[in-house]
Amino acid sequence: MAAAQLSFHPPSSFSKPRTHPLTQNPLFQNSIQPSRPSLKPLVLKAVLSQNPSKPLTQDDPQTVPFKHCFTKSSDGFLYCEGLKVQDVMDSVEKRPFYLYSKPQITRNVEAYKEALEGLRSVIGYAIKANNNYKVLEHLRQLGCGAVLVSGNELRLALRAGFDPTRCIFNGNGKLLDDLVLAAQEGVFINVDSEFDLENIIGAARIAGKRVNVLLRINPDVDPQVHPYVSTGNKNSKFGIRNEKLQWFLDEVKKHPDELKLVGAHCHLGSTITKVDIFRDAAVLMVDYIDKIRAQGFEVNYLNIGGGLGIDYYHSGAVLPTPKDLINTVREVVLSRDLNLIIEPGRSLIANSCCLVNRVTGVKTNGTKNFIVIDGSMAELIRPSLYDAYQHIELVSPVPPEAEISTFDVVGPVCESADFLGKERELPTPPKGAGLVVHDAGAYCMSMASTYNLKMRPPEYWVEEDGSVSKIRHAETFEDHMRFFEGL
Ligand SMILES: Cc1ncc(COP(=O)(O)O)c(C=O)c1O
Ligand SMILES: N[C@@H](CCCC[NH3+])C(=O)O
């Protein structure tokens, strides 16, 4: 059986490949691919009034990559890249919506590219964080590859024009049909378990392709995060433990027509704010790579996964940047002349977006005060699911006499877990006031549901020229009824 034929693309400035045979591998060519036939662009392009005065806290976005694109002016208006969020609210349909800054996404990618200078590297954007098609196209145009966990994420990545040979297929329960598609397309596949390897071999045979595989190692490193987003400790369902490594190497040796072992992968978890944890893992991982190389395998890829946290608290605390992350593993990577793959999701997209809601009313039950908004756990589930903190503020100034109180910010969904924030000090807002939940670009819309038939919200972004475009239509009641057509 022939080895997977990998296409060559000229490198761009994104990653500067050194002269090395491995740079012939397209995973490390950072060209902007010509689009495959793309979906029709979504309608609407409403140019809204520009704010003439620069918001007070806004720094030069070109030089401050991790500054928030959402800033408050001294007179109490929230801006997104110089646009009043209130103006956007007044111009779009009356329902919760996600509002992104496209330039912030660009700045986030640029921060990673800069951090990766001098290394052969690929940024594999974790599509699960946000699967908006327009966002994906933008990230692909900026030079990102993609990390996938389902057949549909793979299909979406292909539609959005990602080069499949710059994509990595992860997951502990990958299905055979999806693996066949991945094998046909030349996607790199991470091996998670014995049955997964068996399925990958089967998929390679069906596709008639030799598959590039990485072993997903469980290094047993504690990422010091919420247990639900911790993935690289020994009790996790993900990855291969040390004692089983030899079995996998022996299996790969037995299947040279189907498998080419090219590297090792680990993913420790998400919301990690201590970069030493990544270095500890990288040190362990190169130890694995040494062991694997000692058996004659030419493994040259180290994939350290994603997981970098962001400043959800807006507390002004100094958190590690992509540069801090990469610098902490740089020497380890160079010491073995490895190609580095990273899989960021949250740190590429979370801070570029907020969920914009309207206040339905304010109530007190005697012991607690509540701000009830039209958004809910259906649109944004992280607070309910992980007790996660996401910063909340009003978009416009309130009358000076408005009392500041401690509120739970809750939605209308019929669950006591339906809260967006607990015990927040806020001025009592009038009915209809705009209220945003920040840092909603990652794991918010992609985890939204239609519970209580709250249909999924529309998405907009502010473009580089300050105009606003709809980048996803709102889901409607009629969309729901279509599931029952013809029954
Ligand atoms: C295998 C893998 N890679 C990458 C990511 C992206 O992580 P994050 O969004 O924290 O960067 C995840 C999610 O935790 C993941 O499970
Ligand atoms: N959904 C999680 C992240 C999970 C990452 C996937 N392994 C969050 O919202 O923070």
Side-chain angles (χ1 to χ4, degrees):
M1 199 181 298
Q5 202 55 56
L6 303 173
S7 53
F8 175 81
H9 310 293
S12 76
S13 59
F14 158 25
S15 135
K16 299 212 162 63
R18 295 175 302 178
T19 314
H20 187 284
L22 276 170
T23 58
Q24 299 306 304
N25 190 317
L27 194 60
F28 287 89
Q29 311 306 319
N30 299 296
S31 62
I32 292 165
Q33 292 303 296
S35 276
R36 288 163 178 255
S38 74
L39 294 177
K40 267 199 171 151
L42 296 168
V43 237
L44 187 97
K45 186 144 192 165
V47 180
L48 300 169
S49 62
Q50 292 277 343
N51 168 44
S53 62
K54 194 172 170 177
L56 283 188
T57 52
Q58 190 159 14
D59 290 296
D60 176 2
Q62 298 312 313
T63 56
V64 188
F66 274 75
K67 265 282 179 252
H68 266 266
C69 45
F70 293 97
T71 53
K72 216 51 182 286
S73 63
S74 56
D75 54 354
F77 284 100
L78 185 70
Y79 287 86
C80 176
E81 302 288 353
L83 255 191
K84 256 187 195 165
V85 175
Q86 183 69 57
D87 286 350
V88 184
M89 280 184 75
D90 294 343
S91 310
V92 302
E93 58 263 62
K94 264 198 165 185
R95 56 188 292 173
F97 64 93
Y98 281 99
L99 179 66
Y100 297 79
S101 153
K102 189 179 180 192
Q104 183 66 46
I105 301 173
T106 308
R107 293 195 288 270
N108 292 345
V109 176
E110 293 304 326
Y112 267 107
K113 287 184 188 176
E114 206 185 303
L116 289 162
E117 286 285 327
L119 292 173
R120 295 188 306 273
S121 62
V122 156
I123 301 173
Y125 165 65
I127 287 187
K128 74 192 95 173
N130 187 311
N131 56 33
N132 181 293
Y133 178 77
K134 302 293 283 182
V135 168
L136 293 186
E137 271 192 333
H138 184 50
L139 287 166
R140 188 259 303 159
Q141 282 163 358
L142 291 168
C144 293
V147 168
L148 326 153
V149 284
S150 69
N152 280 344
E153 283 193 355
L154 170 54
R155 285 176 197 99
L156 184 65
L158 297 175
R159 288 266 194 117
F162 282 92
D163 177 347
T165 61
R166 289 168 50 73
C167 291
I168 301 118
F169 193 11
N170 265 314
N172 65 315
K174 300 184 282 296
L175 300 177
L176 182 62
D177 287 351
D178 297 336
L179 285 168
V180 171
L181 176 62
Q184 279 162 346
E185 295 285 345
V187 168
F188 282 51
I189 302 180
N190 284 341
V191 180
D192 186 83
S193 63
E194 291 87 338
F195 75 77
D196 194 37
L197 186 63
E198 201 179 299
N199 284 346
I200 296 167
I201 293 167
R205 286 185 182 145
I206 294 167
K209 293 273 177 71
R210 190 179 186 206
V211 179
N212 290 309
V213 292
L214 292 87
L215 296 180
R216 177 167 182 167
I217 306 289
N218 177 330
D220 193 20
V221 170
D222 178 7
Q224 300 171 31
V225 295
H226 190 286
Y228 292 3
V229 298
S230 172
T231 49
N233 59 326
K234 66 172 182 255
N235 294 324
S236 162
K237 68 173 180 172
F238 300 103
I240 297 164
R241 294 286 295 135
N242 185 30
E243 50 278 16
K244 292 199 165 172
L245 180 67
Q246 193 54 51
W247 183 89
F248 285 89
L249 297 181
D250 292 342
E251 278 309 289
V252 173
K253 277 182 204 160
K254 284 185 216 157
H255 295 93
D257 291 341
E258 291 89 356
L259 304 172
K260 179 167 167 41
L261 180 59
V262 296
H265 167 264
C266 70
H267 172 73
L268 306 175
S270 204
T271 69
I272 301 170
T273 50
K274 293 182 188 150
V275 286
D276 288 359
I277 292 171
F278 290 100
R279 189 183 21 239
D280 293 349
V283 167
L284 288 170
M285 290 300 290
V286 294
D287 220 48
Y288 280 100
I289 285 178
D290 288 347
K291 280 188 204 152
I292 299 169
R293 281 179 170 172
Q295 298 199 25
F297 292 100
E298 261 191 53
V299 287
N300 292 304
Y301 297 78
L302 172 60
N303 183 339
I304 58 162
L308 186 63
I310 62 147
D311 178 20
Y312 277 116
Y313 284 90
H314 292 208
S315 65
V318 181
L319 291 183
T321 61
K323 191 164 266 168
D324 297 326
L325 164 63
I326 301 305
N327 280 348
T328 199
V329 299
R330 178 179 292 274
E331 285 313 312
V332 181
V333 172
L334 289 173
S335 71
R336 303 297 197 282
D337 195 23
L338 289 162
N339 306 303
L340 179 66
I341 303 173
I342 54 168
E343 303 183 338
R346 190 184 315 274
S347 52
L348 279 181
I349 189 79
N351 70 353
S352 71
C353 172
C354 64
L355 178 68
V356 185
N357 311 273
R358 273 187 181 75
V359 172
T360 309
V362 172
K363 70 182 269 187
T364 176
N365 67 5
T367 52
K368 257 190 179 278
N369 303 315
F370 299 93
I371 297 175
V372 184
I373 57 173
D374 55 359
S376 70
M377 67 187 290
E379 290 80 6
L380 196 156
I381 200 175
R382 298 189 69 258
S384 308
L385 193 57
Y386 314 112
D387 222 355
Y389 181 96
Q390 291 190 219
H391 196 61
I392 287 177
E393 63 185 327
L394 298 175
V395 307
S396 294
V398 289
E401 63 276 13
E403 204 181 315
I404 296 192
S405 297
T406 304
F407 291 100
D408 281 7
V409 178
V410 301
V413 162
C414 200
E415 294 278 345
S416 293
D418 178 27
F419 63 91
L420 284 301
K422 287 227 156 142
E423 303 198 343
R424 305 297 174 90
E425 296 276 301
L426 288 164
T428 305
K431 272 188 190 169
L435 177 149
V436 295
V437 181
H438 279 290
D439 303 308
Y443 307 110
C444 292
M445 183 58 172
S446 65
M447 292 171 73
S449 75
T450 57
Y451 186 44
N452 284 197
L453 280 194
K454 283 189 99 290
M455 310 313 292
R456 270 178 282 250
E459 296 181 289
Y460 293 85
W461 69 14
V462 178
E463 311 229 19
E464 289 80 1
D465 64 359
S467 64
V468 175
S469 303
K470 188 181 265 191
I471 57 169
R472 179 177 166 134
H473 292 297
E475 234 169 30
T476 64
F477 176 71
E478 290 313 319
D479 291 329
H480 179 71
M481 291 314 294
R482 264 196 282 278
F483 290 113
F484 309 101
E485 269 169 22
L487 294 184

